Amino acid sequence: EVQLVQSGAEVKEPGESLKISCKGSGFNIATYWIAWVRQMPGKGLEWMGLISGSASDTRYSPSFQGQVTISVDNSINTAYLQWNSLKASDTAIYYCARRWAITGAPLGDYWGQGTLVTVSS
Amino acid sequence: QSALTQPASVSGSPGQSITISCTGTSRDVGAYNYVSWYQQYPGKAPKLLIHDVSNRPSGVSTRFSGSKSGNTASLTISGLQAEDEADYHCNSYTGSSPLYVFGTGTEVTVL
């Protein structure tokens, strides 16, 4: 069974760093792409970026370029999303989603359960 | 690149059909047949309903159908049921940066 299991909820203070994870099972992450999607409280979905499972290519939305880093460790079938210095405006639910390795393929034939990140002093 | 435009809310009675629009530009929705639709219940992850404008993944009800005309894609829910009450999001591939753009989201209410 294909699954994406994300790390648990986090509560951080502004300025702190954070790395959340998305572990795939039932498939080889190296042959897919993993996307990250933000959903701020009560708002819609925002595409942040995606990474090839081989780690050979990473694409960021201009809105998130330089604000986050997406990485993957395909030896443990896990993708990551990290921040060096969190802001209160980073408070949101973050989803990972699997994408086929085909141009234009849809995001998320499978999704993680979401990780709630709360940034507050 | 701005978010695709969806109506904030759409409602209908059980058994009716409703249509949700998703308006983009000639650089996204109008340029590629790579429009997807997602259903999201409160507190849950989105679920892929439609991909490539009108294709349903295995297991998705045939009551959901997608289409596109010009820069506007549409999701139609036929035979509306109480379980269809959820948020619906469209998404389009753009071929440039950002590679994907989501819609503003639509809340569907079953009266």
Side-chain angles (χ1 to χ4, degrees):
Chain A
E1 180 193 7
V2 171
Q3 281 191 308
L4 290 169
V5 179
Q6 297 185 229
S7 49
E10 302 274 359
V11 179
K12 293 289 188 179
E13 293 190 357
E16 289 190 310
S17 62
L18 175 64
K19 190 174 188 177
I20 63 175
S21 66
C22 168
K23 183 172 178 61
S25 61
F27 71 101
N28 183 358
I29 204 170
T31 60
Y32 289 85
W33 289 60
I34 298 295
W36 286 94
V37 174
R38 182 175 80 174
Q39 188 166 39
M40 299 179 78
K43 301 297 185 182
L45 304 174
E46 299 174 87
W47 178 74
M48 302 176 69
L50 78 169
I51 187 166
S52 66
S54 64
S56 62
D57 195 1
T58 309
R59 310 286 181 91
Y60 291 93
S61 165
S63 299
F64 294 94
Q65 178 86 48
Q67 308 304 309
V68 298
T69 301
I70 296 171
S71 60
V72 67
D73 184 343
N74 54 43
S75 71
I76 54 172
N77 241 34
T78 301
Y80 302 94
L81 177 66
Q82 72 178 86
W83 296 258
N84 288 335
S85 180
L86 286 160
K87 302 185 279 287
S89 57
D90 292 319
T91 295
I93 298 174
Y94 294 87
Y95 293 101
C96 63
R98 190 180 80 163
R99 198 205 78 160
W100 309 327
I102 302 171
T103 298
L107 300 174
D109 61 338
Y110 288 89
W111 291 71
Q113 81 278 18
T115 296
L116 173 62
V117 174
T118 303
V119 184
S120 174
S121 54
Chain B
Q1 187 125 11
S2 300
L4 307 176
T5 301
Q6 298 180 231
S9 63
V10 173
S11 62
S13 299
Q16 283 187 327
S17 293
I18 61 170
T19 297
I20 303 167
S21 62
C22 170
T23 300
T25 70
S26 58
R27 296 185 301 276
D28 38 62
V29 174
Y32 301 94
N33 287 325
Y34 295 141
V35 176
S36 302
W37 289 91
Y38 304 84
Q39 177 189 59
Q40 186 182 28
Y41 292 111
K44 298 296 185 182
K47 171 190 172 183
L48 181 64
L49 281 183
I50 297 284
H51 66 90
D52 298 350
V53 175
S54 59
N55 292 331
R56 278 185 307 276
S58 174
V60 172
S61 172
T62 56
R63 298 186 300 103
F64 295 95
S65 62
S67 62
K68 190 186 88 166
S69 177
N71 298 336
T72 298
S74 299
L75 174 71
T76 298
I77 309 175
S78 305
L80 200 62
Q81 299 179 2
E83 67 198 48
D84 300 329
E85 197 161 277
D87 292 328
Y88 292 83
H89 309 271
C90 64
N91 178 272
S92 177
Y93 177 79
T94 74
S96 59
S97 182
L99 205 55
Y100 290 89
V101 60
F102 278 99
T104 49
T106 298
E107 180 181 26
V108 167
T109 302
V110 181
L111 302 171

